[in-house]
Amino acid sequence: MNTDKKIAFITGASSGFGAAIAEKFASRGYKLVLLARRLERLQALAGKLNTECHAIGCDVRESAQLSDAVANLPADFAAVDILINNAGLALGLEPAHEAEWADWQQMIETNCTAVARLTRLIAPGMVARGRGHIVMLGSVAGSYAYPGGNVYGATKAFVEQLSRNLRADLSQHGIRVTHIAPGLAGGSEFSQVRFHGDAAKAASVYAGTEPLRPADIAECVDWAVLQPQHVNINSIELMPTCQAPGPLAVYRRPQG
């Protein structure tokens, strides 16, 4: 077994941020565990990467499948050095009293429960080996509220706080934890998923802007991971130049 190459486990690796991170890590010679629902997309990606890959077709919400996938990692991929908790989604932009409960539930299961579950599965091995790096993909939505952000923003606040608490627990074991919070980002399926496949509505989100791209996020992850072992990058928040936090919402009653 080759123990010289780092092993990175990336969720949501079939497109967007996950695929870009996989490409960046492959360029550094890391061995990759690629997990996503669409196995054929993962296999196509793995075929383009100049590194060893293990592809897992799995919905992160399926706890038993996730547990089995980790328990049955091939020996050459089992000692995970870097966990990239990237899989996540937003659904809908309706106000809280009109949102679909099923959308809320899926966001909580994907963005919170699955992230916590996979971290709990991988962390003990990192502790036993005395090394590791957990990278959590959050969002500026976890810090800045906006109309329609409701549960999505709350799930990303969970990711940020879990990152802080993981640091408190794992720092004594030589494990680093980094939280990445991107702002407006294009070049992925994020908005199409949010609007249930409505391509026109998804495109309108980016009209007249130059958003972040998956490669920008991959650069941030790469930079954090490449720091010396004694350096932990706690959190990176980034937005495109065209974006900034907005004013607080103030409701004003109609006059007259």
Side-chain angles (χ1 to χ4, degrees):
M1 180 171 62
N2 184 352
T3 58
D4 296 328
K5 294 183 178 180
K6 286 188 176 181
I7 300 168
F9 191 130
I10 306 170
T11 67
S14 63
S15 64
F17 297 171
I21 294 166
E23 290 169 359
K24 173 59 74 171
F25 281 2
S27 74
R28 299 210 177 273
Y30 298 174
K31 296 165 63 173
L32 304 177
V33 178
L34 306 173
L35 184 148
R37 291 177 296 108
R38 297 170 294 189
L39 180 59
E40 70 285 354
R41 293 279 294 269
L42 292 178
Q43 291 170 334
L45 175 64
K48 297 188 299 183
L49 300 177
N50 187 28
T51 192
E52 298 173 73
C53 296
H54 174 63
I56 302 170
C58 175
D59 187 331
V60 292
R61 294 180 295 158
E62 297 294 336
S63 182
Q65 290 183 25
L66 197 62
S67 298
D68 287 345
V70 173
N72 294 305
L73 285 172
D76 284 356
F77 292 89
V80 175
D81 297 289
I82 306 164
L83 172 60
I84 309 293
N85 272 314
N86 167 68
L89 79 170
L91 292 170
L93 201 59
E94 295 81 14
H97 61 289
E98 296 176 3
E100 294 289 340
W101 169 250
D103 287 350
W104 280 15
Q105 187 172 25
Q106 186 174 350
M107 287 187 283
I108 292 167
E109 290 174 353
T110 305
N111 301 353
C112 299
T113 306
V115 168
R117 178 63 178 155
L118 185 56
T119 301
R120 181 62 182 82
L121 290 169
I122 296 293
M126 290 182 170
V127 169
R129 293 184 292 274
R131 68 179 190 275
H133 198 154
I134 300 171
V135 179
M136 310 281 269
L137 266 295
S139 168
V140 296
S143 299
Y144 308 110
Y146 59 87
N150 43 70
V151 164
Y152 173 67
T155 64
K156 290 305 185 178
F158 170 87
V159 170
E160 182 173 11
Q161 189 59 33
L162 178 58
S163 300
R164 294 192 184 106
N165 283 303
L166 288 172
R167 280 276 294 131
D169 288 344
L170 301 177
S171 58
Q172 62 183 307
H173 300 290
I175 298 169
R176 300 187 290 175
V177 183
T178 299
H179 169 249
I180 311 284
L184 183 69
S188 74
E189 300 173 344
F190 180 84
S191 287
Q192 286 204 40
V193 170
R194 177 168 223 163
F195 297 119
H196 301 282
D198 188 329
K201 187 178 286 188
S204 71
V205 173
Y206 309 105
T209 73
E210 186 175 352
L212 299 173
R213 298 291 175 181
D216 300 321
I217 312 308
E219 287 292 338
C220 289
V221 173
D222 185 54
W223 177 77
V225 168
L226 288 178
Q227 295 305 303
Q229 179 58 36
H230 71 284
V231 177
N232 188 92
I233 304 302
N234 293 338
S235 185
I236 300 174
E237 179 185 288
L238 65 154
M239 293 180 178
T241 304
C242 64
Q243 186 183 34
L248 293 174
V250 179
Y251 171 70
R252 302 184 189 280
R253 293 189 299 273
Q255 301 299 305

